[in-house]
Amino acid sequence: MSIRSDPLERLAIPDGTTVEERDLVTDGDVIVGGQSTVEFGVRGRTVVAGERVTFGNDIEAEGDCRLDMWCDVAGNVLVGEDAYIGERTRIGGQLMVSGDLDIGDDVDIERGFEANGWIVIRNPMPTVVFFFVYLSHLLRIGEEEEAREAAEELLGDAEADEEDEELDPLIVPRGSSVSDDAWRVSKPGVVGDDCRIHGNIRATSLEVGRDNNVFGSLRARGDITVGEGTRVHGDVTTKRGTVRIAPGAEILGDVACEDLSLHDDAAIDGSIRARGEMSIHREFARETE
């Protein structure tokens, strides 16, 4: 897991993430903050969800799956290793666990469950809640290395091979809504490279990487960057920020912004409305963190 300052305070879509029919698919871990709605199913390595998260389809985790209390999963939960299910969680399908099952009180599993390992009935979820609080505290006081080790222990990265450790997680911030219609977050958003995303993306700012296909519009209050070779099937709009469009990018809609920085090898099919400065150039300055 990649630990940066406030890693849970942004929407992070890692390289190669795709939406396949009704499933959100990534090679790495999936972390969903509490009070969020994900109308897709989720397929990833380890899946961690905070309290009162709703999933609209199946969860498939190659490693562990940790669902906090009051979660609601419309479909099946299929877990390759251990599962931790918080109290009063509802699963609309089956729960299938290859390892151990730690399950809270008053959990409703409509089509039954199986676990190949130990089954313990209690409330395990305060561990997950404590993890998020503890991780945030470590980052605030600058203990990034200790925070990284804590995250690796929770998500099972300590036993992963070197290639797996380099995979960034998919992070949905607390209180977000993710669906085929729109991704709505009140935090900054970052999209990696080679992704195929369905839905309009709404965030405070947006940075979209290379060679993506976004079947929807981009909207933010701050800056928006569209990377090389990315195609946006919709409008790109910001209220107060700058839009930067890299070479080979294609916007199949309108662009509205304060300032516009446009590479001459990019294409905009719709109209352009820039209230401030507009520049067209041959070089594209990449921002560094």
Side-chain angles (χ1 to χ4, degrees):
M1 178 178 178
S2 177
I3 297 295
R4 304 174 183 176
S5 60
D6 298 326
L8 304 179
E9 292 298 309
R10 63 172 186 162
L11 170 68
I13 303 175
D15 296 350
T17 299
T18 60
V19 175
E20 300 177 5
E21 295 182 354
R22 292 196 61 205
D23 290 332
L24 184 58
V25 181
T26 185
D27 291 332
D29 302 319
V30 178
I31 303 175
V32 182
Q35 311 285 340
S36 294
T37 299
V38 180
E39 293 187 13
F40 299 114
V42 172
R43 280 188 271 160
R45 189 170 59 186
T46 291
V47 177
V48 178
E51 79 285 355
R52 297 183 185 273
V53 174
T54 298
F55 293 91
N57 204 359
D58 300 342
I59 293 176
E60 297 183 30
E62 295 179 8
D64 293 349
C65 179
R66 300 170 181 258
L67 304 179
D68 206 340
M69 60 183 67
W70 297 101
C71 286
D72 191 298
V73 183
N76 301 315
V77 177
L78 310 177
V79 185
E81 295 181 9
D82 300 333
Y84 305 79
I85 310 298
E87 62 182 4
R88 294 179 174 82
T89 289
R90 188 191 77 88
I91 297 174
Q94 288 183 308
L95 172 63
M96 307 292 291
V97 183
S98 296
D100 298 336
L101 172 60
D102 212 347
I103 190 168
D105 296 330
D106 201 19
V107 172
D108 181 11
I109 305 172
E110 294 189 4
R111 296 179 58 190
F113 68 91
E114 292 183 15
N116 291 332
W118 291 97
I119 299 176
V120 179
I121 300 176
R122 58 190 174 100
N123 182 18
M125 281 305 102
T127 301
V128 176
V129 176
F130 173 77
F131 163 74
F132 286 107
V133 174
Y134 179 56
L135 179 59
S136 299
H137 173 71
L138 290 176
L139 292 170
R140 280 197 299 270
I141 65 176
E143 296 291 342
E144 294 193 4
E145 184 60 33
E146 188 172 349
R148 188 190 307 276
E149 292 175 0
E152 289 175 351
E153 181 176 354
L154 177 80
L155 298 173
D157 282 357
E159 298 180 359
D161 58 33
E162 183 176 349
E163 180 180 354
D164 283 345
E165 288 181 356
E166 295 177 355
L167 295 175
D168 288 330
L170 189 155
I171 299 175
V172 177
R174 181 180 179 86
S176 301
S177 175
V178 176
S179 71
D180 196 49
D181 176 63
W183 300 55
R184 301 181 187 277
V185 301
S186 57
K187 304 291 183 181
V190 179
V191 181
D193 303 332
D194 300 306
C195 298
R196 182 181 177 90
I197 304 298
H198 289 256
N200 306 305
I201 303 179
R202 307 287 185 258
T204 56
S205 64
L206 279 169
E207 182 179 342
V208 181
R210 299 185 179 192
D211 300 319
N212 297 293
N213 247 318
V214 180
F215 294 90
S217 61
L218 306 179
R219 180 178 295 175
R221 293 194 296 270
D223 296 346
I224 299 176
T225 299
V226 180
E228 297 180 26
T230 286
R231 174 175 285 191
V232 179
H233 299 254
D235 300 335
V236 176
T237 306
T238 172
K239 291 183 177 180
R240 299 185 296 271
T242 298
V243 171
R244 300 178 179 87
I245 302 178
E250 186 175 3
I251 311 300
L252 303 178
D254 301 335
V255 174
C257 56
E258 184 68 29
D259 300 321
L260 175 64
S261 177
L262 175 66
H263 194 276
D264 66 357
D265 192 32
I268 300 175
D269 284 1
S271 62
I272 298 175
R273 297 186 300 275
R275 293 177 292 274
E277 298 181 358
M278 184 174 71
S279 60
I280 301 176
H281 47 82
R282 294 184 178 275
E283 298 297 326
F284 185 72
R286 297 179 178 85
E287 294 184 345
T288 58
E289 295 185 357

